[in-house]
């Protein structure tokens, strides 16, 4: 199973593909130097396989690489960051 995470800026979302098929996404909005993560969705066929976690990590790594802060409005992303202290520095204060 190969996964690929991309920033689909045209749709304002990060997407994860599994073997080429869209498996999930996280919608975002840009506010100044921050990225507001609004909603995460994983297709039911891929639930329970770590796709949401991989998507969260990939999106946050990309945002970090771009030097932006994160505003985690999405409950899934908010909880994921709480469980991964090495990403808490990304949260806008």
């Amino acid at each position: 199973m190969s996964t690929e995470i991309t920033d689909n800026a045209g749709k304002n979302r990060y997407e994860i593909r599994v073997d080429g098929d869209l498996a999930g996404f996280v919608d975002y909005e840009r506010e100044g130097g921050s990225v507001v993560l609004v909603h995460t969705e994983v297709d039911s066929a891929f639930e329970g396989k770590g796709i949401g976690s991989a998507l969260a990590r990939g999106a946050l790594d990309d945002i970090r690489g771009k030097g932006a802060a994160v505003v985690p409005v999405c409950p899934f992303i908010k909880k994921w960051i709480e469980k991964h202290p090495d990403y808490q520095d990304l949260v806008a204060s």
Side-chain angles (χ1 to χ4, degrees):
M1 176 170 83
S2 69
T3 60
E4 178 186 20
I5 300 164
T6 56
D7 179 3
N8 185 338
K11 291 188 175 183
N12 286 337
R13 69 185 194 180
Y14 282 92
E15 298 176 341
I16 186 166
R17 294 185 180 277
V18 176
D19 296 330
D21 295 324
L22 182 64
F25 59 88
V26 57
D27 290 322
Y28 66 78
E29 298 170 2
R30 295 198 183 278
E31 287 185 8
S34 297
V35 179
V36 182
L37 299 175
V38 181
H39 173 73
T40 302
E41 193 169 315
V42 173
D43 186 285
S44 60
F46 297 96
E47 287 180 358
K49 298 179 180 180
I51 298 301
S53 290
L55 176 58
R57 183 179 306 277
L60 293 169
D61 285 347
D62 187 68
I63 293 165
R64 182 188 306 272
K66 293 176 179 172
V70 170
V71 179
V73 174
C74 169
F76 175 80
I77 297 290
K78 190 172 186 173
K79 183 184 278 188
W80 194 92
I81 291 172
E82 288 172 2
K83 291 181 179 181
H84 297 86
D86 49 324
Y87 286 87
Q88 292 175 1
D89 65 309
L90 283 174
V91 178
S93 49

